[in-house]
Amino acid sequence: MVQGVRRLSSLFTRGGDPSMTDIDQGSRKPADVVIIGAGIIGLANALQLAKRGLTVTLIDNVRNQRRSFKVGESFLVFTSAFLRTIGELDDFISEESFIKEGVWFTSGAEHRKDFSGSTEWAVNADPHPPHYLFDAAEDKKWFRCMFLDMQIVRPEAEDVMRAAAHAHPRITFLDSARVREVDLAESDEPHQVHWSEGTEPGVTPARWVIDCSGRNRLLARHLDHTAEKRENDEGFQTTAVWAQFSGVTDDNFDERWKHLLENGRTTRRDLYTVHLWGDGYWIWVIRLSQGRVSVGATFDKRKPPPGANPREQFWNLMKRHPVLDDVVRDHELLEFRTFRNAQHWTDTFASERRYAMVGDAGSIIDAYYSQGIALALVTSWHLANVVQRDVHQGLLDRPYIARINRNTRQDWHMLRNMVREKYTSAVEDPRFFLLSHILDMAVFWCLGSTRAKLTRWLVDTEGDTSRETPGLAAVRKRLESRLFYSQSIYWRLLPPELVQRAQRRLQAGIAERARWRVSHGVRTPAITSVLTVTGPLPKVWRLPFASGQTSVNVSSHDFVEPAELRPAGTATWFDRLPISVNTRLEWVIRLRPVGLLATFAAGYLWDAADTAVRRSRHRRRTPAASGSARAEDQTSVRRWGTP
């Protein structure tokens, strides 16, 4: 055994004879990388590293595991770009998945028979063919990776990826083996990964070990990287409960699910990833191929729904939304699952000691925005650059490792900032619902041009760096420092911690004002905002003029669609200008981040001024209560604001 070795007993393992640890028994050939876990993240890492010329041993007892339907999955285009190229799922995603028209967020539909009177924020992303944007695209695969959202059935997608892993000559896939322990070398010697296949033990020496074991969190638990135990001092933790049903068709979604757009066209909410918010919880509805639907909820553990067990809590939440009666009733239940503590995070994604943790083995915050797999694949891409450089060039890039850990950690905290305030009573306030989502979308879309460059790199190389041109190599080098939410081009000169804290304070500010309005009975009009890929700016200028109205529509104007394709009477002079579709689309991609940031700033300042006036009037009307009101406001800031 190597001197100075640290042994880790694997949480990923069940049973086995502890005496079978002799590395001379059942030894296998050494690998550049051992990957623990063959779920979608482990498979993506294995294929990515193998395509870069590295030898990979992938270990997971998938043959003997109970087949799980998992959450769905609702994919972002960011996720799709990696899986269509590196994951070799382009045909599967296009042919076997449910077309997703975007995301739909609703607050105020609780105990209503339909969606009327609720506040809704939606982003339509439906250039699926036949569509004028797809027809105009010069590179159809790049367009699919960049713009086409889908919802996939996870087990079948992983089957395709596992077949690709088995077929790859650089991947040794031990698909009926269990990791028993990991010996991490203190020096430059190889790590030793001990596993057993049935009764036969084995060991694989490896330069790198990557933990993709999911919520087992093999390395994080044993190396004390479970940062949430030290940092979650505000007590915000959530529980997730969900089920997957079969036998769901269009007939289960009646007229209530249709929405009339401002331009006179009709869209159907069920063709989006639907999110239904209530105080302290949200529900998702994800339609899948093969007549399946994933329906689940995440709730703040400090505000649990009634129920003696998670299944009862699930059904009690479903009953709060009558629009779901025909969706989750009388269908075959395929699976029910629970995560009692849904959130956790790590302080280390890659270590100079040549180990890493990716996906749920590292961090997961919330299913909202479907960011779990997306961020895991971004981290995997960064990690592949580090590992490849170390193995092929003998260069352990310590500055890059430090940058991955620092920036990715702030990215995950930015996601936590996005959801934390939405679990409070602030979500009942329409103005908060709008402004909070505008800020979130600004963070995502500020990475739009960076993501476009990454998508070009992925499509042109398929993840194989030997196919890089000098230009693509330069693109990859720039992406190594820019491919983080906390280091977007619009604030990349700022420390990532400062960016994260600023975002948190902004969310806390609009949430504190919203909670004041809710607690003091100040009603603002219900808001409808439907954005599109080609119409990204909500008309917030309408809000100050909506006083006294029950609802206001601030949906955006489409800047790209040709005038001749628009509904009669909706085209403007700008739409008739002789500018090509591709040029207009490029303008939108480049300018929408700045536009969204400016829109949010205007809305934030107006909200602050309007609420200050309302507070002043309230104090003048109730002078005796003004002291207690100020104390309440200060308590709210201390509880929800950033220290």
Side-chain angles (χ1 to χ4, degrees):
M1 189 70 68
V2 183
Q3 294 295 319
V5 160
R6 182 173 183 177
R7 172 163 295 176
L8 306 175
S9 297
S10 173
L11 286 177
F12 195 69
T13 307
R14 299 289 186 273
D17 182 356
S19 66
M20 299 167 61
T21 58
D22 189 343
I23 64 171
D24 294 324
Q25 295 179 344
S27 294
R28 293 289 179 109
K29 59 184 179 182
D32 294 323
V33 185
V34 165
I35 297 175
I36 304 170
I40 197 165
I41 299 302
L43 290 162
N45 275 269
L47 290 168
Q48 177 165 233
L49 293 167
K51 287 183 176 185
R52 293 186 180 219
L54 302 165
T55 59
V56 178
T57 296
L58 178 62
I59 306 174
D60 195 350
N61 187 21
V62 293
R63 286 192 183 184
N64 300 311
Q65 289 177 359
R66 181 177 67 86
R67 191 170 179 83
S68 172
F69 291 96
K70 304 183 181 178
V71 171
E73 196 87 22
S74 173
F75 271 178
L76 302 173
V77 286
F78 208 2
T79 309
S80 183
F82 285 101
L83 295 182
R84 286 180 183 270
T85 54
I86 292 170
E88 302 186 14
L89 287 178
D90 191 28
D91 291 340
F92 177 87
I93 292 174
S94 296
E95 299 169 7
E96 303 293 335
S97 301
F98 191 89
I99 292 177
K100 170 184 172 182
E101 295 193 359
V103 291
W104 200 284
F105 309 104
T106 297
S107 175
E110 239 186 3
H111 308 301
R112 295 177 182 268
K113 293 183 179 180
D114 55 31
F115 292 92
S116 62
S118 61
T119 289
E120 300 192 279
W121 163 275
V123 180
N124 178 284
D126 183 32
H128 294 269
H131 193 280
Y132 75 92
L133 283 175
F134 186 82
D135 294 340
E138 297 177 357
D139 185 331
K140 304 302 185 189
K141 186 166 186 177
W142 179 87
F143 189 90
R144 288 196 300 274
C145 291
M146 187 69 188
F147 295 112
L148 300 191
D149 272 356
M150 307 294 272
Q151 295 177 163
I152 73 164
V153 283
R154 271 279 292 278
E156 288 79 359
E158 290 178 358
D159 287 344
V160 175
M161 295 178 71
R162 283 169 184 157
H166 274 296
H168 202 290
R170 294 194 186 93
I171 299 176
T172 300
F173 192 174
L174 306 179
D175 63 358
S176 59
R178 298 173 182 268
V179 172
R180 300 183 60 234
E181 59 189 19
V182 178
D183 294 342
L184 291 180
E186 299 286 356
S187 63
D188 202 45
E189 297 292 333
H191 306 313
Q192 307 290 329
V193 180
H194 298 263
W195 45 267
S196 61
E197 193 168 15
T199 60
E200 295 297 320
V203 62
T204 299
R207 175 73 180 169
W208 279 81
V209 175
I210 301 179
D211 182 9
C212 300
S213 63
R215 299 185 73 89
N216 290 297
R217 304 186 75 190
L218 168 63
L219 295 183
R221 292 181 189 275
H222 284 279
L223 296 173
D224 194 28
H225 292 310
T226 52
E228 74 280 356
K229 293 181 179 179
R230 297 182 293 274
E231 298 174 359
N232 188 9
D233 55 357
E234 83 261 355
F236 173 51
Q237 178 58 273
T238 52
T239 291
V241 289
W242 74 95
Q244 194 168 137
F245 300 87
S246 63
V248 176
T249 68
D250 290 347
D251 294 337
N252 297 102
F253 299 90
D254 56 24
E255 291 294 316
R256 295 175 297 176
W257 288 82
K258 292 183 179 179
H259 176 77
L260 182 65
L261 299 171
E262 255 199 331
N263 61 12
R265 291 171 176 158
T266 300
T267 190
R268 290 170 45 191
R269 294 175 178 87
D270 61 288
L271 300 182
Y272 296 68
T273 302
V274 179
H275 308 69
L276 306 172
W277 273 100
D279 184 9
Y281 76 94
W282 68 278
I283 294 171
W284 72 77
V285 181
I286 303 172
R287 291 193 65 182
L288 305 168
S289 61
Q290 304 179 28
R292 300 180 194 170
V293 64
S294 172
V295 183
T298 303
F299 59 84
D300 190 331
K301 293 184 70 172
R302 296 169 296 189
K303 301 179 181 179
N309 55 60
R311 192 174 292 241
E312 288 186 8
Q313 292 175 314
F314 170 83
W315 285 109
N316 282 328
L317 287 174
M318 298 303 114
K319 291 174 183 176
R320 297 184 187 183
H321 292 269
V323 294
L324 297 176
D325 288 349
D326 293 331
V327 180
V328 295
R329 187 182 63 185
D330 298 329
H331 304 127
E332 182 181 354
L333 177 65
L334 298 173
E335 186 174 48
F336 179 84
R337 300 192 69 184
T338 301
F339 290 152
R340 293 186 181 275
N341 294 312
Q343 300 181 34
H344 61 249
W345 57 92
T346 183
D347 55 16
T348 301
F349 297 88
S351 171
E352 294 180 8
R353 293 186 57 202
R354 295 175 285 110
Y355 66 82
M357 52 204 78
V358 189
D360 287 6
S363 298
I364 187 67
I365 296 301
D366 203 281
Y368 205 60
Y369 290 127
S370 305
Q371 286 288 321
I373 294 179
L375 270 183
L377 292 174
V378 170
T379 303
S380 299
W381 184 85
H382 286 298
L383 181 62
N385 295 327
V386 171
V387 175
Q388 181 182 16
R389 203 163 292 154
D390 177 51
V391 173
H392 286 170
Q393 301 176 24
L395 173 63
L396 187 61
D397 195 338
R398 289 177 170 84
Y400 192 6
I401 291 173
R403 187 164 66 247
I404 292 171
N405 289 325
R406 183 186 185 188
N407 296 347
T408 305
R409 191 175 186 192
Q410 298 309 313
D411 284 3
W412 279 108
H413 281 294
M414 290 176 74
L415 292 181
R416 198 162 189 263
N417 295 342
M418 290 179 184
V419 300
R420 183 201 332 262
E421 304 291 357
K422 294 184 179 69
Y423 280 93
T424 73
S425 60
V427 78
E428 300 174 5
D429 180 77
R431 200 184 297 169
F432 166 81
F433 202 70
L434 174 70
L435 294 177
S436 179
H437 283 102
I438 292 177
L439 178 57
D440 296 346
M441 204 56 55
V443 170
F444 293 141
W445 280 353
C446 279
L447 209 63
S449 60
T450 302
R451 186 170 66 81
K453 293 181 176 64
L454 171 68
T455 301
R456 171 53 59 199
W457 185 91
L458 289 169
V459 170
D460 288 354
T461 66
E462 294 288 326
D464 182 351
T465 50
S466 68
R467 298 172 58 175
E468 279 184 334
T469 63
L472 288 172
V475 167
R476 178 160 63 104
K477 189 64 178 176
R478 288 194 296 272
L479 291 173
E480 289 181 2
S481 60
R482 298 181 185 177
L483 191 58
F484 303 95
Y485 288 132
S486 55
Q487 288 293 277
S488 159
I489 190 173
Y490 297 94
W491 44 72
R492 61 190 174 94
L493 297 180
L494 300 176
E497 296 84 1
L498 178 61
V499 173
Q500 183 266 128
R501 287 196 297 269
Q503 176 230 9
R504 182 175 179 178
R505 286 184 180 275
L506 290 171
Q507 288 282 4
I510 55 178
E512 184 274 325
R513 294 194 289 270
R515 283 191 292 274
W516 181 88
R517 289 192 292 270
V518 170
S519 65
H520 289 80
V522 178
R523 295 182 178 274
T524 58
I527 298 173
T528 299
S529 176
V530 180
L531 309 186
T532 68
V533 169
T534 51
L537 302 179
K539 300 171 183 176
V540 297
W541 56 265
R542 290 181 175 177
L543 294 179
F545 303 98
S547 178
Q549 300 179 23
T550 58
S551 63
V552 57
N553 195 322
V554 298
S555 297
S556 63
H557 178 77
D558 189 317
F559 294 105
V560 178
E561 186 177 32
E564 61 270 18
L565 297 180
R566 297 175 185 267
T570 63
T572 68
W573 65 268
F574 179 82
D575 305 325
R576 296 187 177 91
L577 292 177
I579 305 172
S580 72
V581 165
N582 286 332
T583 299
R584 289 174 183 262
L585 181 60
E586 184 179 355
W587 287 356
V588 168
I589 292 175
R590 290 180 178 275
L591 297 178
R592 69 185 180 184
V594 177
L596 267 181
L597 289 172
T599 298
F600 172 77
Y604 184 92
L605 293 174
W606 172 75
D607 177 61
D610 178 73
T611 306
V613 170
R614 292 175 184 269
R615 279 175 161 161
S616 177
R617 291 173 179 171
H618 176 78
R619 293 188 183 109
R620 287 200 299 270
R621 287 195 303 268
T622 55
S626 62
S628 60
R630 283 193 295 270
E632 177 186 334
D633 295 343
Q634 292 168 0
T635 300
S636 183
V637 170
R638 285 196 298 271
R639 181 179 178 188
W640 300 107
T642 302

